Amino acid sequence: MGPVDLTDRVERSTRMDRPIQAVAKAVRRRIGPGRLRDLLHGVPLGKPLHPPLANASVGFWAAAAVLDVIRSDPRAIRALLASGIATAAPAAAAGITDWSVLHREQQRVGFVHAIANLTALGLYTGSLALRFAGDERRGRLLSFAGLGAASLGGYLGGHLAYRQAAGANHAESVGHLVPLGWHDLCEISDLPDGRPVTRRLGYIDLFVLRVGDGVTVLADNCSHLAGPLHQGRLISEEGTACVVCPWHGSTFRLSDGTVAHGPATAPQPSFETRVRRDGVLQVRPALT
Ligand code: FES
């Protein structure tokens, strides 16, 4: 059985579901909607914050391992270990915030990923303490054990990001699936006033909202994890009309699909609209 089969088993295992549910709920309650949560998700960056911070930690620790192997300056190694530990804290905060709003299968893998990384953090902290106490030999051993745990964490993080598509933009394909130019969508008279509905254009579902004579059209599958936006709530956020995804609360501005609040970090593809004389609503992808 290979590592992917083992990870697939973790995805399907229900054994840890109770603690996972409890921790995810506590995280969501603790880090409620607002600026801090948006920052931890990476909304201001336009992409998740956790991966670059985690990469920084692992990079510092990997560099320390190389210096350990060649028996380099102990002060340089301590500085690298301390830098990895310092960046691990915000990386963990960002990661657990993202994790708290994932699908159950993703949370199972993410839970083991977090345990592996916390083990690495503990081992590196112990290693640094031993080195400061003058025990370089045992400090080195703990560091190598920490690198093993961090490598396992990294492997599971890759599985989560690439195979399970946590953190990916789930609306990215829209621009590739809609041919250039204007497309007939539906009769304008078929659209209810003030209530979003979904309409299909070729291979993709669209969120369509008519308010009076104005029509807003966005991709319907949320960029976070593909939730159905047409089932979401309409709200006004600082005077701007927005839609809130029904799955995890990502909030998109109706005017252009940009993100007002995460967990989504990528904007929702939006469409220009026009109505033909015979009442047919036409759409084309908005230029960004
Ligand atoms: S699918 Fe998660 S917020 Fe939309």
Side-chain angles (χ1 to χ4, degrees):
M1 182 179 292
V4 174
D5 303 308
L6 278 173
T7 318
D8 285 345
R9 277 194 173 191
V10 174
E11 274 184 41
R12 291 192 298 269
S13 169
T14 58
R15 281 188 195 174
M16 297 175 299
D17 282 359
R18 283 182 96 169
I20 286 173
Q21 268 179 27
V23 175
K25 199 171 166 187
V27 172
R28 288 196 300 270
R29 198 178 301 147
R30 191 89 189 163
I31 310 173
R35 279 199 189 162
L36 176 62
R37 194 170 80 174
D38 284 344
L39 180 67
L40 289 170
H41 281 308
V43 172
L45 282 180
K47 58 193 75 177
L49 178 63
H50 173 67
L53 289 174
N55 287 345
S57 280
V58 174
F60 286 128
W61 290 337
V66 173
L67 295 192
D68 262 337
V69 168
I70 62 171
R71 298 288 196 272
S72 186
D73 178 6
R75 282 180 311 164
I77 298 172
R78 276 184 234 146
L80 286 168
L81 294 184
S83 302
I85 291 165
T87 47
I96 202 166
T97 306
D98 289 343
W99 171 85
S100 69
V101 285
L102 291 177
H103 293 316
R104 182 60 43 78
E105 293 76 8
Q106 295 166 330
Q107 285 185 330
R108 289 170 184 154
V109 176
F111 197 64
V112 182
H113 164 75
I115 289 171
N117 286 338
L118 288 175
T119 303
L121 181 60
L123 288 166
Y124 276 112
T125 305
S127 168
L128 189 60
L130 283 172
R131 288 168 199 254
F132 274 122
D135 191 344
E136 289 291 330
R137 193 186 68 81
R138 284 204 296 163
R140 268 197 298 277
L141 287 178
L142 281 197
S143 280
F144 288 129
L147 192 61
S151 301
L152 174 62
Y155 172 80
L156 293 171
H159 184 95
L160 197 53
Y162 298 110
R163 192 165 165 120
Q164 294 184 288
N169 174 3
H170 286 256
E172 196 278 337
S173 60
V174 169
H176 308 288
L177 293 171
V178 182
L180 293 173
W182 289 99
H183 307 282
D184 296 352
L185 188 63
C186 61
E187 301 277 340
I188 186 89
S189 57
D190 284 349
L191 298 172
D193 195 359
R195 181 169 60 83
V197 291
T198 184
R199 293 288 181 268
R200 192 148 247 265
L201 176 65
Y203 298 108
I204 62 165
D205 292 322
L206 297 178
F207 162 100
V208 185
L209 172 65
R210 179 174 77 82
V211 178
D213 292 336
V215 183
T216 297
V217 177
L218 302 174
D220 192 49
N221 290 343
C222 175
S223 66
H224 176 232
L225 284 177
L229 279 194
H230 73 279
Q231 294 176 13
R233 272 181 306 123
L234 300 176
I235 63 163
S236 175
E237 178 79 21
E238 294 174 355
T240 305
C242 296
V243 59
V244 181
C245 178
W247 284 6
H248 313 104
S250 290
T251 305
F252 301 95
R253 297 179 186 92
L254 293 178
S255 54
D256 56 5
T258 52
V259 179
H261 296 296
T265 55
Q268 205 57 18
S270 66
F271 290 75
E272 295 176 12
T273 63
R274 70 181 184 188
V275 180
R276 264 189 351 214
R277 281 196 186 158
D278 59 359
V280 171
L281 174 66
Q282 294 187 307
V283 296
R284 72 174 177 189
L287 297 175
T288 50

